């Protein structure tokens, strides 16, 4: 597979939580593709949060070997947003609401 054809993205395992470091695994194409990729890695469905999988650092190299494109966190977010797949934790409130 050509590097530019990859649509599963992973950022470096720099996010702390529960005593370990985590990466984010996303697709810039579809959630179906993301779920299928995560399943092939053996990541349980509970690892999915809104628009990404939280992937423990020990699975980072395995994900890259399986075809995930390593990118910086900023690029991952930009590509996820550009694809229309971003689901923010706290959606912006509409003006005049509330």
């Amino acid at each position: 597979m050509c590097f530019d054809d990859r649509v599963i993205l992973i950022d470096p395992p720099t996010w702390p939580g529960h005593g370990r470091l985590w990466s984010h695994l996303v697709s810039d194409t579809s959630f179906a593709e993301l779920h299928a990729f995560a399943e092939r890695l053996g990541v349980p469905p509970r690892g999915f949060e809104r628009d990404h999988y939280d992937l423990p650092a020990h699975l980072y190299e395995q994900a890259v070997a399986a075809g995930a494109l390593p990118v910086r966190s900023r690029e991952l977010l930009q590509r996820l947003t550009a694809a229309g797949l971003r689901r923010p934790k706290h959606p912006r409130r509409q003006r005049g609401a509330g």
Side-chain angles (χ1 to χ4, degrees), residues 4-28:
D4 294 331
D5 293 338
R6 296 184 190 175
V7 290
I8 298 294
L9 310 169
I10 189 167
D11 64 1
T14 57
W15 303 94
H18 308 288
R20 56 170 100 172
L21 294 176
W22 300 82
S23 290
H24 297 118
L25 188 71
V26 305
S27 169
D28 66 358

Side-chain angles (χ1 to χ4, degrees), residues 8-18 20-27 31 34-35 37-39 41-60 63 73 76 80 86-87 89:
I8 298 294
L9 310 169
I10 189 167
D11 64 1
T14 57
W15 303 94
H18 308 288
R20 56 170 100 172
L21 294 176
W22 300 82
S23 290
H24 297 118
L25 188 71
V26 305
S27 169
F31 290 123
L34 177 60
H35 295 313
F37 189 90
E39 184 177 351
L41 288 178
V43 178
R46 70 179 178 272
F48 184 71
E49 186 177 338
R50 294 181 320 278
D51 55 13
H52 68 277
Y53 278 88
D54 291 322
L55 201 68
H58 73 273
L59 291 179
Y60 178 84
S73 299
L76 182 142
L80 182 66
R86 178 76 170 121
R87 294 179 179 166
K89 186 180 258 185

